[in-house]
Amino acid sequence: MTSAYQHLTNTFRRLSRFGHLAAIAGWDMQTMMPAGGSRARGEALAELSVLQHEILTAKQVGSWLEQAQAESLNDVEAANLFEMRRAWQQASLLPAALVEAKSIAGSRCEHAWRQQRPANDWPGFAANLKEVVRLSREEAEIRSQANNCSRYDALLDLFEPGMTSARLDQTFGDLTQWLPDLLQRIVAKQAQEPVERPVGPFAVEAQRQLGLSIMQQLGFDFNAGRLDVSAHPFCGGVPEDVRITTRYKEDQFLSAMMGVIHETGHARYEQNLPKQWAGQPVAHARSTAIHESQSLFFEMQLSRSAEFLQLILPQVVAQMGAQPALNADNFVRLNQRVKPGLIRVDADEVSYPAHVILRYEIERALIGGEIEVEDIPAIWQEKMQAWLGIDTSGNYRDGCMQDIHWTDGAFGYFPTYTLGAMYAAQLFQAVKRALPQLESQIRSGDLQPMFDWLQQNIWQHGSRFSTRQLITHASGEDLNPLYFRQHLENRYLHN
């Protein structure tokens, strides 16, 4: 006789397969699909999302969840059942019509954004975004009523289970007390340390080959993934077929290179999630912030270190050509340069939190109904000026239209970037304690001990543990922002 738990695993395996199709279709929409396919693809993805919603919220799923509670399950199965129940509860709150409407509005907004952003067309973008915001508020209201929390917290919980805006305000509030002064001190210090910029043009194919070479060094499995181009870098697909993207500019190569490294961090996590639990919720990445901690571990903690930069420099010179700016000392200074700028994805790790907090404050007010879409540009300009001293008036392309996240209603996502940076700093310190020879290992290109540590402490666990349990097990304590501050001070003031 099939147990209730077995019925559930079969159901979630089926959902995983449909999710696989949706992920690859979504990747294709952002990389390969011609513009004329947008409407049909959006409708197809919406149909698929409704089908998944119907499967997950079917009456018998609720019955099986209740019955499985009384069955004899081991620790992993119990954790899987917990994640199943969470997924079911989250999905059951929303009517199928809202799920479909959100999917269609998100596809329409995202696809139009690809043309509207280069054209600096804020009115056109705002018209689509209003519908996404309207539907996101509707979703947030339903979820907040069910979970007895604010509308924003209800959406935040989808990305970062257990996190609240009250805790974010405390964590980010501490950061705002010391970060502006630290940023000014670093900029003043680096003003006395001249840096030479590489002179292009840099052929796109050469940049691509450099990215592939570094991906290989970082352990990316090309038998289970690939590198492509998109308007906004991302990591998508599924663990068995991870798709990462970057974007290229012929006048400089560092942005694409670091974009590849960042997405490779995401990809290594995905490729090393527990295969024995594949198709089940417990095999998913723990949370968005933990996912981001892996990409920032690779990009910021590892790849902007002097040891790693010196390691990859011969590959850089081989593809980009020798020139004075690509000597060892200057190359390190280039990649550790702190300079407030317009673009979040190109920001240095010191000014980056300002970009995140700005978006967090705007989207929380937007979902809460305190501001409307029309208010975003002025608020964006005000906050960019206050935080980074940068004027964005009239520049929507490099201001409030630069990110893809709001196009599909991913409100609650942005805070996880800075949470991820904090987790990454904390985890890197734990690795250094476990591997006293880490710096020399990186310098020599022996990265496997570090990867083994990540596999043992983060990757293999999937969603078996809560975020708090996972980070405490790996580092010895819950999230402690002090490690992030120490990392920034050590790298940028004390070196």
Side-chain angles (χ1 to χ4, degrees), residues 215 220-227 240-244 271:
M215 286 169 68
F220 184 90
D221 180 2
F222 287 96
N223 192 48
R226 54 180 286 145
L227 170 67
E240 302 85 354
D241 184 6
V242 180
R243 308 297 178 92
I244 73 169
Q271 290 181 335

Side-chain angles (χ1 to χ4, degrees), residues 56-357:
L56 181 55
T57 59
K59 186 176 180 180
Q60 65 263 34
V61 173
S63 299
W64 290 332
L65 285 166
E66 289 302 315
Q67 294 166 28
Q69 285 291 134
E71 294 176 352
S72 179
L73 304 177
N74 63 33
D75 289 350
V76 175
E77 290 168 338
N80 195 35
L81 181 62
F82 179 87
E83 295 299 321
M84 288 174 170
R85 178 174 293 277
R86 174 179 162 79
W88 174 78
Q89 288 173 332
Q90 296 283 17
S92 297
L93 293 174
L94 302 185
L98 178 57
V99 173
E100 182 177 23
K102 275 202 68 191
S103 181
I104 290 174
S107 293
R108 182 185 299 121
C109 189
E110 185 276 327
H111 190 74
W113 167 82
R114 284 190 268 166
Q115 284 75 46
Q116 290 163 346
R117 186 194 173 202
N120 202 40
D121 179 13
W122 167 254
F125 177 68
N128 288 327
L129 184 61
K130 286 178 187 177
E131 179 65 5
V132 173
V133 170
R134 184 186 72 80
L135 294 169
S136 296
R137 284 173 173 172
E138 186 177 336
E139 175 187 2
E141 180 62 24
I142 293 170
R143 296 191 183 283
S144 69
Q145 290 290 334
N147 297 313
N148 192 31
C149 63
S150 72
R151 293 200 296 194
Y152 185 76
D153 280 6
L155 298 184
L156 175 63
D157 190 68
L158 296 174
F159 299 100
E160 200 58 26
M163 183 56 66
T164 64
S165 53
R167 190 178 177 199
L168 279 178
D169 288 344
Q170 182 179 5
T171 302
F172 289 172
D174 174 69
L175 187 149
T176 60
Q177 296 300 307
W178 55 263
L179 187 65
D181 176 67
L182 178 64
L183 179 59
Q184 289 182 9
R185 289 163 62 198
I186 293 170
V187 169
K189 177 177 181 287
Q190 292 190 346
Q192 310 303 315
E193 303 165 350
V195 65
E196 191 168 352
R197 297 280 169 185
V199 178
F202 303 101
V204 167
E205 181 56 26
Q207 293 190 55
R208 181 175 179 275
Q209 290 302 322
L210 174 62
L212 292 171
S213 174
I214 295 174
M215 286 169 68
Q216 185 172 28
Q217 190 153 33
L218 292 173
F220 184 90
D221 180 2
F222 287 96
N223 192 48
R226 54 180 286 145
L227 170 67
D228 290 282
V229 178
S230 68
H232 191 100
F234 70 92
C235 174
V238 294
E240 302 85 354
D241 184 6
V242 180
R243 308 297 178 92
I244 73 169
T245 69
T246 192
R247 58 189 177 198
Y248 301 104
K249 300 176 183 177
E250 290 198 336
D251 62 340
Q252 60 102 345
F253 68 90
L254 292 176
S255 176
M257 183 186 81
M258 283 299 174
V260 167
I261 292 172
H262 178 98
E263 302 306 338
T264 299
H266 282 304
R268 288 300 314 273
Y269 187 19
E270 285 290 318
Q271 290 181 335
N272 287 278
L273 287 168
K275 294 178 176 57
Q276 69 272 29
W277 309 331
Q280 300 303 310
V282 76
H284 295 170
R286 172 57 278 171
S287 71
T288 312
I290 292 298
H291 222 311
E292 198 61 30
S293 79
Q294 300 308 286
S295 61
L296 294 175
F297 186 104
F298 273 56
E299 180 194 0
M300 297 302 185
Q301 298 295 322
L302 170 64
S303 297
R304 292 190 191 272
S305 70
E307 293 80 14
F308 186 84
L309 291 168
Q310 290 164 2
L311 172 67
I312 65 170
L313 184 56
Q315 300 170 55
V316 173
V317 172
Q319 294 295 339
M320 301 299 115
Q323 56 175 282
L326 296 182
N327 68 66
D329 290 341
N330 193 74
F331 188 59
V332 172
R333 287 197 296 272
L334 265 174
N335 285 283
Q336 293 185 356
R337 204 66 175 176
V338 173
K339 183 180 180 181
L342 288 164
I343 306 300
R344 175 187 62 83
V345 297
D346 293 337
D348 60 84
E349 60 182 330
V350 184
S351 60
Y352 192 102
H355 290 269
V356 169
I357 295 173

